[in-house]
Amino acid sequence: QVQLVESGGGLVQPGGSLRLSCAASGSIFSIYAMGWYRQAPGKQRELVAAITSGGSTNYADSVKGRFTISRDNAKNTVYLQMNSLKPEDTAVYYCNVDYNITLGSAVFRSWGQGTQVTVSS
């Protein structure tokens, strides 16, 4: 069982910044991709950003140039630095981690509980 603990959400004014963190713990052999998704009220969950074990990144067009995803492999933690926040960034943000529990075993995906980000004046 792998647990993901998210932190860093909250209320921020337009143009402000927030940094989300997500720490993974439990029966982990290797972590592969890590990512952040978000879901606004009445909308489907969408990919915000992802990062591979080698450090390659992928971003939604709507956040390119404003958000930065990074990871600390020693801490099994992924971060999302969000700058120049807009009201349309308001959503519940979920982290996810792709991992296996032994060498050569199947890869599983685990999700965080979600953290609310609200951008409003």
Side-chain angles (χ1 to χ4, degrees):
Q1 191 79 12
V2 171
Q3 296 80 40
L4 301 183
V5 178
E6 302 175 7
S7 61
L11 173 64
V12 64
Q13 292 186 342
S17 298
L18 284 174
R19 188 190 194 211
L20 305 183
S21 300
C22 174
S25 62
S27 301
I28 300 171
F29 180 76
S30 291
I31 292 180
Y32 300 95
M34 307 177 84
W36 290 93
Y37 283 69
R38 67 186 180 187
Q39 187 166 19
K43 295 188 177 181
Q44 289 188 333
R45 189 175 296 191
E46 63 175 357
L47 174 68
V48 176
I51 184 167
T52 68
S53 56
S56 297
T57 58
N58 181 40
Y59 295 93
D61 288 343
S62 59
V63 307
K64 283 181 180 176
R66 300 187 298 122
F67 291 10
T68 302
I69 190 171
S70 61
R71 60 191 284 171
D72 184 334
N73 292 328
K75 297 181 179 179
N76 288 343
T77 299
V78 62
Y79 305 96
L80 185 68
Q81 178 66 43
M82 305 185 293
N83 298 329
S84 302
L85 282 160
K86 304 175 180 180
E88 50 263 43
D89 295 317
T90 296
V92 178
Y93 284 70
Y94 299 89
C95 67
N96 74 317
V97 169
D98 294 338
Y99 67 98
N100 63 1
I101 60 174
T102 61
L103 179 64
S105 68
V107 177
F108 300 95
R109 172 164 290 187
S110 186
W111 290 88
Q113 79 283 1
T115 185
Q116 178 69 46
V117 171
T118 302
V119 185
S120 175
S121 55

